[in-house]
Amino acid sequence: MSGLTVKDLEHLQSQHPDYQMELVGGEIIIMSPSGLESDEVAAEIVAQLRNWVKPRKLGRVTASSAGFILPNADQDVRASDAAFIRAERLKKTTENYAEVVPDLIFEVKSKSDSLTKLRQKIQDFLTVGTLVGVLVDPRTRTMEVYRFNAEKTILKDGEILTIPELLPGWELPISEVWAPEF
């Protein structure tokens, strides 16, 4: 099936509410559950972001099920593992897909993910207005930080992610996001 629209996606989603889907280039992509490790990492990033953003009323933090309608030719509907939208850009929430591009996204690589596809997804978000995209790889314990028209930065354990243009004062020690060992 190609040439599908947001309405088609909404219809399929209503028929199959247990499936997580994205609309990319007019085609539906059904997302499989991720592995435990990548989801633990994503949950930790969402928690760290939310714990900074909410008390300061800086905006909204979403997890992997929030869909965003991108303002590209195909009107793709994409979801990232974690996202932040500044308060002034989305004053009130919606039960529908958000018609706003997140300011910040995180993609956490799971066992079955392709790094090439994740990097392209981040570039797609940057092209339509996302300011910062972060690719998190639990296997290599690294974060690749992308900004539009800038060189990527690679961070590893012992380093700290900061995003002063969006979250002044927020610091995320890289070593704190990995799944714990007991």
Side-chain angles (χ1 to χ4, degrees):
M1 283 197 251
S2 64
L4 299 176
T5 66
V6 174
K7 289 228 179 277
D8 296 320
L9 175 63
E10 289 171 339
H11 176 73
L12 281 169
Q13 198 70 73
S14 71
Q15 299 296 309
H16 306 281
D18 295 333
Y19 293 175
Q20 184 173 344
M21 302 175 199
E22 289 185 336
L23 177 64
V24 182
E27 295 186 8
I28 301 292
I29 297 174
I30 297 174
M31 312 296 286
S32 65
S34 66
L36 183 62
E37 178 183 48
S38 59
D39 195 59
E40 277 189 276
V41 170
E44 183 61 30
I45 290 168
V46 168
Q48 295 274 348
L49 259 177
R50 183 192 171 280
N51 289 344
W52 179 264
V53 167
K54 189 171 182 180
R56 292 165 181 81
K57 297 183 178 168
L58 298 174
R60 301 182 187 285
V61 174
T62 65
S64 64
S65 294
F68 298 94
I69 299 175
L70 303 185
N72 59 8
D74 293 315
Q75 281 206 302
D76 291 345
V77 177
R78 305 297 307 259
S80 59
D81 292 317
F84 166 71
I85 305 111
R86 288 176 288 164
E88 63 268 17
R89 295 189 58 240
L90 190 61
K91 293 185 182 290
K92 186 177 178 186
T93 196
T94 176
E95 66 179 5
N96 299 315
Y97 302 125
E99 293 189 45
V100 64
V101 177
D103 295 292
L104 166 66
I105 64 163
F106 287 83
E107 284 295 324
V108 180
K109 185 185 181 311
S110 66
K111 182 179 178 181
S112 61
D113 282 333
S114 154
L115 282 171
T116 301
K117 286 183 179 179
L118 290 176
R119 288 179 181 122
Q120 183 58 55
K121 184 176 182 178
I122 290 171
Q123 289 305 316
D124 291 347
F125 270 96
L126 292 172
T127 299
V128 295
T130 294
L131 300 176
V132 181
V134 182
L135 173 56
V136 182
D137 189 342
R139 299 287 51 182
T140 61
R141 297 175 69 105
T142 59
M143 289 188 185
E144 297 176 9
V145 184
Y146 295 87
R147 289 174 168 85
F148 188 71
N149 285 336
E151 292 285 320
K152 78 175 172 185
T153 305
I154 299 177
L155 302 173
K156 55 189 183 308
D157 281 347
E159 296 181 295
I160 297 173
L161 172 66
T162 61
I163 305 173
E165 64 268 42
L166 292 172
L167 301 166
W170 183 62
E171 295 185 344
L172 179 62
I174 305 307
S175 59
E176 286 187 14
V177 302
W178 314 126
E181 292 185 23
F182 303 108

